[in-house]
Structures are given as C-alpha cells and as structure tokens.
C-alpha cells in the first residue's frame, strides 16, 4: 500500500516545481524530500519523476499518482474537519450562567482565554441570582453555571454536580481616611466599635458579618443598608461605616476605599462550576470547563 505522507511529498514536488520548493512548503530538508521520493518510486514500481540538470518533471505515472494524491489529501483534510465538527473544537455553542461579582472579576479572564483557544465556539453568558441560575441548570437552558456557597450553607441539590474553582476570601472595606486604612490586615476583634454597612434584603454576606462578629464577641451596629457592593463602597468612602465583601466584589474598587485582609477571622466562600447530573456534555462544554479550571488555578 502506498504511503500517504510520501504521496503528499510527491504532490508538493509536482505543484511547487522542485525539490527545494517542496521542502520549504512542507518544512523538510531537500535531502529528506529526495529520500521520500525514492522510497515512493520503489513502492510504485516505476519512475515517477524525470530528473534534469535544472530540476525534474513528473512522468505519466507521476502525474496519475499526483492526481490521486491530491484527492487523498483533500479527503483527509475533509475527514479531519468533520471530526473537528463532531468534537465541537472549531464550531459549536455553549451557554454559561454566572453571578455579578464573579462576572465582573474572574469570568472576563476565563472568557478571554476561551476565545483565544476556541475562536469558533459561540459563547453565551447569562447573569442572575442563585435561584435563577439553578433553575436554568435544571431546565437545561445553560450548560454550566458559576455558583457560590459558604461552609454553613452548602448547595445541596442532588441534580447538580459541583466542582470547586477557587476560594473567595471575605475582605474589609474602609474609607481612605479611616483609622485602619493604612493597615494591610486587621481582625474582626479590631472592629467591635465600628458602624457597619450591610447588604439589604437578607443578603448572605449579612450572615457572614453576624457569624464573624459573634465569634469576635460583639454585636455589629448597622449604619446603612446598601443595595449592592458599589453603593456599599460609596458609603464607606465617605466614612458612613465599614463593610464586608467577597474579594471578587472589589475588582472595581472605589478610589477612596481601601481593601483590608481579615485573615481567617471572617469566613470565605467557595466559587463553584455546576452542571446538571446526567447531562450529555458536548465538546464545547468540556472545553469551557477545562478553561475555567485552568484560569481558576492561577486566580487563587
């Protein structure tokens, strides 16, 4: 049976007009091209090229074989393209759910990496609250979703498979003129007498404050209920109080706010990639999952 790679070499010589040009096109040395041609002629049992002082030209047998080689090479390229289509490497689509703090911090890094590696895959992203994201996972409207939980409030849903991406520390927000603003790290015990800015509507970060304050031996005094972290930063910047936030919520930092570490005196949250149990995973989804894991490894 004729060797396909040697057929490619013959075709390159015929189309490029010389061994030297074929070697440049294929990334081989001229010597390697000549050796492959000699072996192909032995396989074919007859001369395929006529050699002259200024080059070579195909024999009738060489022309016939080059014509078949052209078809073979094209069919192999088509087969590779079909396999790529099936695998979803060049084309496909995937929908990802996310929530605002991660959507404005970690996720853009992952999206950039994904588009660099898989420019042919259409990526759609939906942002929402946890109940919205979980419902869309269960309904199959998103392939995966980024979710989060705390140690005392783990996601318990038998229909979901969870992969931890990274730990998101709880940090302290203070105004630039606050007495602690020049410190890099404080503890909750340092904050017993401070007024607090909390998220409105029973947001889970309120429970983070309550648990952390209880462990430090005080009850927080609430000065303001904010609708989002940007509003909390704005009020902290003018000295109305201090606030807790996940680190991912501080990427877009107010210029008059300082972000301080609380170490292990305030619990972190887990950021997770979730998918529905039993879902048939397309290649585009698997590729996105791998990218999320890779970017998360550097993000920690």
């Amino acid at each position: 049976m004729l060797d396909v790679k040697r057929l490619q070499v013959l075709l390159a010589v015929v189309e490029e007009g010389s061994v030297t040009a074929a070697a440049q096109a294929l990334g081989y040395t001229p010597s390697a091209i000549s050796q492959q041609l000699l072996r192909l002629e032995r396989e074919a049992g007859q001369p395929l090229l006529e050699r002259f002082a200024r080059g070579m030209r195909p024999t009738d047998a060489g022309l016939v074989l080059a014509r078949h080689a052209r078809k073979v090479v094209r069919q192999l390229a088509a087969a590779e393209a079909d396999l790529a289509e099936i695998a979803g490497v060049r084309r496909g689509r995937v929908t990802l759910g996310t929530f605002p703090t991660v959507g404005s911090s970690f996720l853009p890094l992952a999206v950039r990496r994904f588009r660099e590696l898989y420019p042919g895959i259409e990526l759609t992203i939906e942002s929402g609250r946890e109940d919205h994201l979980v419902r869309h996972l269960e309904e199959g409207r998103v392939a995966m979703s980024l979710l989060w939980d705390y140690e005392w409030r783990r996601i318990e849903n038998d229909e979901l498979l969870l992969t931890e991406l990274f730990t998101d520390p709880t940090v302290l927000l203070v105004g630039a003129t606050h007495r602690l603003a020049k410190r890099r790290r404080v503890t909750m015990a340092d904050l017993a007498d401070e007024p607090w800015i909390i998220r409105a509507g029973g947001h889970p970060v309120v429970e983070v404050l309550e648990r952390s304050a209880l462990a430090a031996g005080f009850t927080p005094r609430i000065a303001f209920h904010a609708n989002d972290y940007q509003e909390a930063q704005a009020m902290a910047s003018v000295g109305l109080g201090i606030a807790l936030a996940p680190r991912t919520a501080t990427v877009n930092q107010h210029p008059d706010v300082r972000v301080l570490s609380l170490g292990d005196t305030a619990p972190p949250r887990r950021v997770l990639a979730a998918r529905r149990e039993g879902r048939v995973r397309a290649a585009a989804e698997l590729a996105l999952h791998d990218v999320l894991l890779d970017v998360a490894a550097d993000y920690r």
Side-chain angles (χ1 to χ4, degrees), residues 20-272:
T20 300
Q24 292 177 344
L26 296 176
Y28 294 162
T29 64
S31 175
I33 293 292
S34 297
Q35 292 176 14
Q36 293 298 315
L37 289 173
L38 289 173
R39 291 173 183 171
L40 182 60
E41 286 184 327
R42 287 197 293 268
E43 290 176 353
Q46 55 187 306
L48 301 175
L49 295 163
E50 295 178 334
R51 293 163 176 82
F52 300 92
R54 295 185 178 180
M56 57 182 60
R57 65 187 179 192
T59 63
D60 289 343
L63 286 174
V64 170
L65 197 54
R67 185 165 58 249
H68 285 292
R70 188 176 293 109
K71 293 179 181 178
V72 169
V73 169
R74 289 176 179 173
Q75 288 175 340
L76 287 174
E80 290 176 352
D82 288 343
L83 290 174
E85 291 286 354
I86 293 172
V89 173
R90 293 186 180 176
R91 295 182 184 175
R93 62 179 58 187
V94 61
T95 302
L96 176 70
T98 189
F99 54 95
T101 50
V102 163
S104 62
S105 55
F106 163 77
L107 188 55
L109 304 176
V111 170
R112 182 184 296 115
R113 179 83 60 85
F114 185 75
R115 286 186 167 175
E116 289 172 352
L117 295 175
Y118 306 101
I121 297 178
E122 179 183 344
L123 175 62
T124 303
I125 298 174
E126 294 186 5
S127 181
R129 296 174 61 89
E130 181 185 14
D131 56 348
H132 168 92
L133 298 173
V134 170
R135 184 173 69 252
H136 280 197
L137 276 171
E138 293 172 344
E139 294 173 352
R141 295 177 62 179
V142 298
M144 285 187 297
S145 185
L146 301 178
L147 301 175
W148 53 268
D149 66 10
Y150 285 97
E151 182 180 3
W152 63 85
R153 184 182 172 273
R154 294 304 191 203
I155 296 174
E156 296 183 359
N157 188 322
D158 293 338
E159 296 186 20
L160 300 183
L161 293 177
L162 306 174
T163 302
E164 181 174 342
L165 295 177
F166 60 91
T167 298
D168 192 9
T170 298
V171 295
L172 181 70
L173 309 177
V174 302
T177 60
H178 191 275
R179 65 182 179 88
L180 299 173
K182 294 184 179 180
R183 293 175 58 174
R184 297 181 59 185
R185 178 172 178 171
V186 297
T187 67
M188 287 298 296
D190 299 323
L191 310 172
D193 297 326
E194 296 287 338
W196 287 88
I197 299 166
I198 64 172
R199 289 290 303 273
H203 192 277
V205 78
V206 177
E207 188 170 357
V208 176
L209 173 59
E210 292 172 346
R211 287 174 173 267
S212 302
L214 179 63
F218 70 91
T219 300
R221 176 167 54 90
I222 308 304
F224 184 76
H225 292 77
N227 286 310
D228 54 39
Y229 288 114
Q230 286 70 37
E231 193 174 36
Q233 287 198 55
M235 293 300 103
S237 74
V238 295
L240 187 62
I242 61 176
L244 298 184
R247 184 179 62 186
T248 52
T250 66
V251 171
N252 300 313
Q253 186 176 335
H254 192 288
D256 293 325
V257 166
R258 302 294 179 263
V259 179
L260 311 182
S261 170
L262 286 163
D264 59 2
T265 64
R269 67 180 180 179
R270 297 189 306 172
V271 175
L272 310 158

